[in-house]
Amino acid sequence: MRAMQIPGHIDPVPVPREVTPRADGRIDILGLPKSRIASLLADAGLDTRLAKLRAKQLWHWMYHRGAADFAGMTDIAKPMRPWLAERFVIARPEIVEAQQSRDGTRKWLLRTADAHDYEMVFIPDADRGTLCISSQVGCTLNCRFCHTGTMRLVRNLTPGEIVGQVMLARDSLGEWPRGRMDVPDEETESEYRADGRLLTNIVLMGMGEPLYNFDNVRDAMAIVMDAEGLALSKRRITLSTSGVVPMMARCGEEIGVNLAVSLHAVTKEVRDEIVPLNRKYGIEELLQACADYPGASNARRITFEYVMLKGRNDSDDDARELVRLICKYALAAKVNLIPFNPWDGAPYQCSDPQRIRSFSNIIFEAGISAPVRTPRGRDIDAACGQLKTSAHKQSRAELDRLAEEKQLALG
Ligand code: SAH
Ligand code: SF4
């Protein structure tokens, strides 16, 4: 399929790197499709049939056993193992810092091989464990309530760096080598967790706009979902977008995961302010794309994320308008109400608890689920929108300048 062109300056800043760059010249095979590994092995001198077999074995060792080096790969001939190690690596993102919150939430500050920092969060719950992963270092968008939006986009993460986050989480949680992460439909959650598996769900809600790094996110998720890869069911993966309308259909068709849409406001005036991408793709256009989202049904409802900002988007009228819009587009949707997590210099405050309750009730009364999310990991700055590495802290003046630049680019 031809890649869709999106007009405008702020659109994907692609830094295409099929293989993760490394100073030592070896190639990181984590995140590469089996066929690509086979062709790399063939290029290095193996005959085609053997290369194919080795690629299959390597995948098994990497994704089912968690192997991070070649030495222990017992079904690969002994002399072959150093040969592989001279040419290839199975890298993990470097861990700069690991923190654990009082509520059990864990956060990792990670570093790419070319020294860019990004973050990943693990949120354990009674019935699930959710890994929140990043798709970019920084974000080109500039949502006014989001800390990540105050960073300059440094670059897209590669498929290896995206899959690498899941690998690293499984390393840290001690979940190798348990094989598959999938749950057949007939298996219940408790049976699934009977073997102690902690990581059950993945959300693409860390740093960055995943639909602005479409190819890499798609290729990474293909490995996460592949039965011979990490074998996590697509039902357990959710991609969150701020509303990149032209990429939404492809997301459903080519990635096929659950969709979350960061709506946050129901009028043009307010959404233009808090999610500037709205000036490009408006609310009605966005909701139509949700209605058209491949695979959206009652069983696979779209989630609307709505951050509660005091006096800005939290009135009863806003709630009623949200209900009207969801009904107008006949959306099988649920609404996640996210109490705003403040950060230094943020231009908003969180709505009062009774305001949030009233907002939630109006939506519930219309028959739409509207739970209020409990902020997790606040004490370690792991909550929604707080992801921003301290190395990139900027002054208020810098932030304003950056916001202006970005808005100019948006046109
Ligand atoms: N760029 C994507 C995914 C990452 S943001 C997107 O915008 O959807 C993940 C979620 O965190 C979004 O819903 C975002 O709106 C929310 N978020 C960002 N900053 C926040 C904050 N300070 N408090 C609460 N939620 C926030
Ligand atoms: Fe980027 Fe999402 Fe933050 Fe907006 S909310 S700035 S799209 S990471």
Side-chain angles (χ1 to χ4, degrees), residues 67-346:
D69 59 52
F70 303 99
M73 297 187 175
T74 47
D75 58 356
I76 293 179
K78 258 213 164 116
M80 183 81 210
R81 296 178 217 165
W83 183 89
L84 285 167
E86 271 167 36
R87 292 163 178 80
F88 304 104
V89 288
I90 303 167
R92 295 286 193 269
E94 180 194 338
I95 300 178
V96 181
E97 199 184 349
Q99 285 175 282
Q100 181 147 5
S101 158
R102 264 171 270 133
D103 69 15
T105 300
R106 297 169 69 163
K107 180 171 92 166
W108 291 265
L109 175 60
L110 306 176
R111 185 162 293 164
T112 64
D114 57 345
H116 298 304
D117 292 353
Y118 59 108
E119 291 179 328
M120 155 177 112
V121 176
F122 178 72
I123 307 146
D125 271 310
D127 64 342
R128 64 173 60 191
T130 306
L131 185 68
C132 176
I133 62 178
S134 293
S135 56
Q136 301 181 307
V137 180
C139 187
T140 45
L141 299 173
N142 194 35
C143 303
R144 283 206 85 191
F145 54 86
C146 173
H147 213 181
T148 305
T150 64
M151 288 176 69
R152 245 173 233 289
L153 175 86
V154 180
R155 72 165 166 84
N156 286 334
L157 292 174
T158 63
E161 289 157 350
I162 298 170
V163 175
Q165 295 172 64
V166 187
M167 305 292 283
L168 200 74
R170 292 192 78 184
D171 291 346
S172 302
L173 298 168
E175 300 205 320
W176 305 111
R178 291 240 183 83
R180 44 186 282 285
M181 293 166 85
D182 195 14
V183 201
D185 283 335
E186 65 275 10
E187 192 176 25
T188 66
E189 196 79 42
S190 61
E191 281 171 304
Y192 177 65
R193 293 179 58 92
D195 72 354
R197 173 84 66 222
L198 293 168
L199 198 173
T200 64
N201 292 62
I202 293 175
V203 293
L204 279 146
M205 291 187 189
M207 287 179 174
E209 168 49 59
L211 295 188
Y212 272 180
N213 185 16
F214 186 85
D215 290 359
N216 291 352
V217 167
R218 176 199 54 206
D219 294 352
M221 290 305 112
I223 293 175
V224 171
M225 295 185 286
D226 192 314
E228 292 182 17
L230 290 169
L232 183 69
S233 161
K234 65 180 181 187
R235 292 176 298 113
R236 291 175 172 277
I237 303 173
T238 301
L239 181 150
S240 175
T241 180
S242 55
V244 185
V245 168
M247 301 306 282
M248 284 168 60
R250 282 187 66 194
C251 174
E253 283 155 14
E254 297 177 38
I255 310 180
V257 294
N258 301 316
L259 187 69
V261 171
S262 294
L263 190 62
H264 305 315
V266 290
T267 64
K268 174 163 170 53
E269 187 225 328
V270 179
R271 194 161 193 271
D272 276 358
E273 172 193 310
I274 68 183
V275 184
L277 186 65
N278 194 64
R279 298 174 204 169
K280 199 160 190 177
Y281 310 118
I283 293 173
E284 304 270 333
E285 213 182 323
L286 175 58
L287 295 177
Q288 187 57 52
C290 291
D292 298 339
Y293 187 68
S297 69
N298 244 331
R300 280 183 59 132
R301 290 175 297 172
I302 288 179
T303 303
F304 288 111
E305 290 155 284
Y306 200 101
V307 64
M308 300 301 295
L309 305 174
K310 191 176 198 162
R312 208 63 203 105
N313 65 356
D314 61 352
S315 71
D316 287 350
D317 280 348
D318 288 320
R320 282 189 281 268
E321 177 62 6
L322 181 54
V323 169
R324 190 190 69 81
L325 286 169
I326 290 173
C327 294
K328 178 178 171 194
Y329 287 89
L331 294 168
K334 60 181 168 193
V335 179
N336 256 341
L337 299 177
I338 315 171
F340 171 63
N341 287 308
W343 36 274
D344 254 4

Side-chain angles (χ1 to χ4, degrees), residues 25-43:
R26 290 185 296 170
I27 293 174
D28 181 7
I29 58 172
L30 188 76
L32 297 185
K34 233 180 285 152
S35 56
R36 182 80 178 102
I37 297 177
S39 68
L40 287 169
L41 292 170
D43 291 349

